[in-house]
Amino acid sequence: MTAPGGPAATPVRLRADIDVPVDLSRVPAREAAERELSKPMYHENDPNLLQRGLDRFWEWLGDLFGAASGATPGGVLGLVVVVLFAAALVAALWWRLGTPSRAPGTTGDSLFPDGPHTARDHRAAAARHASAGRWNQAVQERMRAVVRSLEERTLLDPRPGRTADEAAAEAGRFLPSHADELRLAARAFDDVTYGGRTADEPSYRRIEELDTALERTRPTLDTTSTGTPA
């Protein structure tokens, strides 16, 4: 007769004897593997912090682009068309209107913010800036020399707060042969003073030549108001 717990119970005990060591060895094995894989030799080619940040950024941008394309008729192609159309519209407005500038007559738009100087003073300052390659300042000083010279010749009345555009428009009535050059010189002055643009040597030389030409030009009196033919 087989005693209780004899042969029938043996497989259970053996199975337990076999299973327990296997289960208990998984934790130390995993810890040993983690310690091994944490060694620097296994991470020499891993991306650095900046690369990981960039990867995350591009992933976020891709998700954002995907979400936007899903909400746009036509999907990705429709979104690209919308973006290109918006960019073309901005470029067209920029080309048509130029850099926004302040309206004439606002505070700080005076042609002579530093007080009265002679035309010779402004020409000397323009020459110093030009010799140093500071074309923005050279353009500004030469335009001031143009206007101050016209005031010294009494072709323009000295007036505080006058802008370059106003001076060019007034002088153009008495010097019609140079009206276009005066308007372009005033525009160059406004571009570098208020529009954030950068002048170059040709821009300065054009105003320098205008200044020299105006000194040799006799004014044309506007007689249309008296009925006499001009």
Side-chain angles (χ1 to χ4, degrees):
M1 183 176 63
T2 304
T10 301
V12 176
R13 185 175 64 251
L14 292 176
R15 191 180 302 114
D17 292 342
I18 295 172
D19 290 343
V20 170
V22 172
D23 291 339
L24 292 177
S25 65
R26 290 176 183 173
V27 174
R30 184 173 64 251
E31 293 177 350
E34 290 176 352
R35 287 194 299 270
E36 179 68 19
L37 293 176
S38 65
K39 294 180 178 180
M41 61 181 294
Y42 295 105
H43 302 278
E44 293 178 352
N45 297 322
D46 288 354
N48 57 32
L49 181 60
L50 177 60
Q51 290 173 329
R52 292 197 298 270
L54 289 175
D55 291 340
R56 292 290 181 87
F57 171 75
W58 288 119
E59 289 176 4
W60 172 82
L61 192 61
D63 294 340
L64 182 64
F65 188 81
S69 64
T72 304
V76 176
L77 181 59
L79 180 61
V80 171
V81 171
V82 170
V83 171
L84 291 178
F85 177 79
L89 181 60
V90 171
L93 290 174
W94 188 278
W95 178 266
R96 177 66 180 83
L97 301 178
T99 304
S101 58
R102 293 176 292 179
T106 58
T107 302
D109 276 355
S110 174
L111 187 61
F112 302 102
D114 299 329
H117 296 282
T118 65
R120 178 177 296 180
D121 292 336
H122 289 297
R123 290 188 185 110
R128 288 194 299 271
H129 288 306
S131 64
R134 297 188 293 267
W135 301 115
N136 280 16
Q137 295 87 337
V139 163
Q140 291 171 323
E141 289 298 328
R142 200 72 193 200
M143 184 61 192
R144 290 171 181 141
V146 168
V147 177
R148 184 64 76 200
S149 177
L150 295 175
E151 291 177 348
E152 290 173 353
R153 295 170 61 188
T154 68
L155 297 179
L156 293 177
D157 294 330
R159 179 158 52 93
R162 175 188 276 126
T163 66
D165 290 327
E166 292 170 345
E170 294 172 19
R173 290 196 291 268
F174 299 102
L175 302 163
S177 61
H178 296 288
D180 291 339
E181 290 86 350
L182 283 164
R183 185 175 63 255
L184 292 175
R187 180 63 181 271
F189 178 91
D190 288 343
D191 284 346
V192 301
T193 305
Y194 312 121
R197 298 186 180 179
T198 302
D200 52 16
E201 183 175 2
S203 300
Y204 170 73
R205 298 303 175 192
R206 283 193 294 270
I207 302 178
E208 182 183 45
E209 292 172 2
L210 173 63
D211 186 23
T212 302
L214 289 177
E215 288 190 291
R216 300 193 297 263
T217 303
R218 296 174 59 86
T220 300
L221 298 180
D222 185 1
T223 58
T224 56
S225 61
T226 62
T228 305

